[in-house]
Amino acid sequence: MLRLSEIKLPLDHPPEALKAAVLDRLGIIADDLLSLTIARRANDARRKAAILMVYSVDVEVRDEAGILARLGDGPHIRPTPDTEYRFVATAPATLPGPRPVVIGAGPCGLFAGLILAQMGLRPIIVDRGKVVRERTKDTWGLWRHAVLDPESNVQFGEGGAGTFSDGKLYSQIKDPRFLGRKVLIEFVKAGAPPEILTEAHPHIGTFRLVTMVESMRRTIEKLGGEYRWQHRVEDFDIEIAADGTRSIRGLHFQTGDYLEATHVVLAVGHSARDTFQTLYDRGVDMEAKPFSIGVRIEHPQSWVDRARFGTCAGHPDLGAAAYSLSHHCANGRTVYSFCMCPGGRVVAATSEEGRVVTNGMSQYSRAEFNANSGLVVGIDPERDYPGHPLAGIDLQRRLEEAAFIAGGSNYHAPGQRVGDFLAGRPSTAFGEVTPSYKPGVTPTDLAQVLPDFVVAAMREALPAFGRQIAHYDHPDAMMTGVETRTSAPVRIGRGKDFHSLNTRGLFPAGEGAGYAGGILSAGVDGIKVAEAVALDMLG
């Protein structure tokens, strides 16, 4: 088959126009086109008055070699790539030694467990939280009643932090083996809409993720995998040989249980602060890592739609508009949009008592009134939290505690109108944009919560963003703080073999270990780590 790309058609083109464009591109008649399948669909909205749909298609033709000889094998016509996933190993019916263990049931742990199960290695997946339905009830307890369960919330439990998000399924990672395709295919098998295989920026949304995670759990269990819920790892049993070589030998849980383990996937997520501390105390190699801090900013989705799509706003083939913004500031900082959620809401995402954290979430329909995005500033260890691998966590906690107090010490979040923020005065009420964060938002001065350099950078960036997205810096646009969990503040060192740099059998993985950012990249990293575990176990 051949892959044709960059086929551009008007937004309202008739269905037959795509086939006609393919025939024209190839210079063949209809009888020579045996099949046509859409591989990717996107839109080009750079010219609002003439928005285009952009396709990549796979075609089967009568004389493939002749077409390639005539047109050449270039960037927009080439053989269709082989995206089939192939397992690196298959376990025998009986395997000596302990079963592999996966710590964490978020996207990374989910795919590590799935791949290990599909290879016949019968993994044990442990998670400090609860199954996704119970976890959802606990999460609503914070949102509706300001009651936090530190072990079952937006961050902890089946599905991980990605469950309560927009469910974005795209990434900027290099993926020469098309492992991202494997992730998407498994999601479709679990109930995701098939269009995630073709849309340029696919997403799922929270409600669909819940049922998909349950389906994948059942698949893993049918393949011999086992889950243990409400099992928080309290300590790591690490053996140190006479020559100084360190190896994992087992896990201690808060339940009092001990689990022998020589191959452990560490997929704990970016908020497992107590686990990071324990790993540090046990001498596991880690270092402080850059991350970003800021707020959530909200606008009516209709404003964003009109700014991005003009008169085509609301067209069913375009959906709710998104944006991606970045600005380099005079103080050397970069401000950028993060985890943009069209038609969604800002949610309470703390996992520790006495702290406020924001995040964004939307459903598959993206039909709620506001758009929201992180408005964040990049920070790094050398400048902002030097001296200790866990210093970034201390900084996060200080900001989250300040936000808790500024919000009223009741899990309400501090909020401010953009106009007030730019003018340097506290907000006393909200305007045209109603904040969506629950359990509530307290109008205040966010400059009292955030570091001065963050405030200065955002005040410079907001008008610049307003020149790119109309009304972005509207006085009534709403800012809610704080956004601190953009990524893990640590990186747990690992080698090319995916083992920890100094502890054999421990496999740092996913966003919590510093190797992913988002659902798709975390799933891909889970696959890679599972493959490394299998190769090490099976020789």
Side-chain angles (χ1 to χ4, degrees):
M1 296 185 75
L2 297 177
R3 169 74 53 87
L4 308 184
S5 59
E6 290 295 305
I7 298 174
K8 297 184 178 182
L9 297 170
L11 177 60
D12 283 316
H13 67 80
E16 61 271 16
L18 182 58
K19 180 178 179 181
V22 169
L23 296 175
D24 182 66
R25 170 79 66 87
L26 296 177
I28 60 176
I29 61 175
D31 287 348
D32 290 335
L33 180 62
L34 304 179
S35 69
L36 185 158
T37 304
I38 295 174
R40 184 176 184 271
R41 189 183 79 147
N43 67 72
D44 181 350
R46 288 174 292 181
R47 295 177 58 210
K48 301 181 187 65
I51 295 176
L52 299 174
M53 300 303 295
V54 185
Y55 295 90
S56 293
V57 298
D58 290 329
V59 297
E60 185 179 3
V61 295
R62 291 191 187 279
D63 185 13
E64 179 178 313
I67 289 174
L68 285 175
R70 175 165 48 86
L71 299 179
D73 181 0
H76 302 314
I77 177 171
R78 57 191 174 95
T80 298
D82 180 4
T83 61
E84 182 180 357
Y85 179 76
R86 295 173 176 83
F87 295 101
V88 298
T90 302
T94 58
L95 188 67
R99 294 156 65 182
V101 178
V102 178
I103 306 175
C108 180
L110 179 63
F111 275 91
L114 178 67
I115 297 299
L116 289 169
Q118 289 176 338
M119 288 189 287
L121 287 167
R122 300 172 55 246
I124 299 171
I125 302 170
V126 299
D127 194 281
R128 66 194 298 162
K130 302 177 183 179
V131 295
V132 69
R133 298 281 174 176
E134 294 180 27
R135 174 193 177 202
T136 300
K137 294 177 183 178
D138 293 334
T139 300
W140 279 103
L142 174 61
W143 296 351
R144 291 176 173 172
H145 307 295
V147 176
L148 172 68
D149 183 337
E151 299 294 338
S152 182
N153 46 63
V154 166
Q155 307 297 346
F156 299 142
E158 185 177 21
T163 303
F164 299 97
S165 70
D166 187 48
K168 296 178 184 66
L169 297 177
Y170 49 92
S171 172
Q172 300 299 316
I173 61 172
K174 295 180 179 179
D175 190 15
R177 294 178 54 209
F178 302 99
L179 299 182
R181 181 77 176 178
K182 169 69 170 174
V183 172
L184 297 180
I185 287 173
E186 293 296 343
F187 277 157
V188 171
K189 289 180 182 178
E195 55 263 31
I196 69 170
L197 298 174
T198 56
E199 290 299 308
H201 295 96
H203 72 284
I204 300 177
T206 290
F207 288 165
R208 288 183 182 238
L209 276 166
V210 167
T211 58
M212 290 160 50
V213 165
E214 290 176 320
S215 175
M216 295 178 74
R217 184 213 316 155
R218 291 192 292 269
T219 297
I220 291 170
E221 290 174 333
K222 287 179 182 177
L223 292 170
E226 176 186 342
Y227 281 84
R228 298 185 186 181
W229 302 108
Q230 296 178 273
H231 273 60
R232 185 182 71 249
V233 177
E234 281 209 332
D235 206 353
F236 295 82
D237 181 7
I238 296 174
E239 179 182 84
I240 304 177
D243 62 358
T245 303
R246 296 160 49 92
S247 303
I248 188 75
R249 286 292 174 258
L251 303 170
H252 295 273
F253 299 96
Q254 98 287 358
T255 59
D257 297 338
Y258 176 82
L259 179 62
E260 184 182 2
T262 56
H263 293 80
V264 175
V265 177
L266 193 66
V268 297
H270 60 43
S271 292
R273 294 166 170 173
D274 48 1
T275 304
F276 296 148
Q277 181 68 59
T278 300
L279 289 165
Y280 176 79
D281 292 342
R282 293 291 166 264
V284 174
D285 183 272
M286 68 172 60
E287 62 182 3
K289 183 183 76 60
F291 62 105
S292 299
I293 57 176
V295 299
R296 279 272 147 183
I297 187 167
E298 291 186 88
H299 308 83
Q301 182 63 46
S302 59
W303 292 6
V304 180
D305 290 344
R306 286 196 298 271
R308 295 284 287 115
F309 298 144
T311 58
C312 294
H315 192 287
D317 284 342
L318 296 176
Y323 59 77
S324 179
L325 300 168
S326 181
H327 178 73
H328 300 288
C329 299
N331 67 359
R333 305 289 179 164
T334 298
V335 183
Y336 64 98
S337 58
F338 169 78
C339 187
M340 196 269 159
C341 296
R345 62 176 55 193
V346 179
V347 298
T350 188
S351 55
E352 296 180 333
E353 294 178 342
R355 297 186 172 99
V356 162
V357 180
T358 61
N359 194 15
M361 183 187 87
S362 58
Q363 302 301 341
Y364 180 71
S365 63
R366 291 177 164 174
E368 296 194 51
F369 187 73
N370 283 354
N372 77 80
S373 172
L375 178 68
V376 296
V377 178
I379 59 176
D380 64 79
E382 186 175 343
R383 283 191 292 184
D384 303 311
Y385 41 102
H388 194 282
L390 303 181
I393 294 175
D394 294 336
L395 173 59
Q396 288 176 323
R397 283 175 165 156
R398 289 197 301 271
L399 297 175
E400 294 165 11
E401 288 168 0
F404 181 78
I405 294 168
S409 298
N410 55 3
Y411 294 108
H412 287 218
Q416 191 171 17
R417 295 169 59 250
V418 164
D420 293 330
F421 178 78
L422 292 174
R425 61 177 176 256
S427 288
T428 57
F430 305 130
E432 189 174 346
V433 182
T434 302
S436 59
Y437 175 99
K438 300 295 182 185
V441 177
T442 301
T444 186
D445 183 2
L446 288 170
Q448 303 303 310
V449 177
L450 296 166
D452 291 344
F453 70 84
V454 171
V455 173
M458 292 197 302
R459 283 177 176 160
E460 179 183 328
L462 280 163
F465 291 162
R467 291 189 288 272
Q468 299 178 58
I469 301 288
H471 302 304
Y472 195 90
D473 58 344
H474 188 285
D476 282 345
M478 189 64 214
M479 301 167 65
T480 307
V482 290
E483 177 98 2
T484 51
R485 311 281 182 96
T486 52
S487 66
V490 301
R491 178 175 286 111
I492 303 173
R494 72 184 187 192
K496 292 182 179 180
D497 59 1
F498 293 90
H499 288 263
S500 160
L501 287 177
N502 69 346
T503 307
R504 296 292 298 177
L506 190 65
F507 294 81
E511 193 162 352
Y515 297 100
I519 294 172
L520 187 67
S521 63
V524 167
D525 202 59
I527 294 173
K528 292 178 180 179
V529 170
E531 292 175 340
V533 169
L535 291 173
D536 195 69
M537 291 184 68
L538 301 176

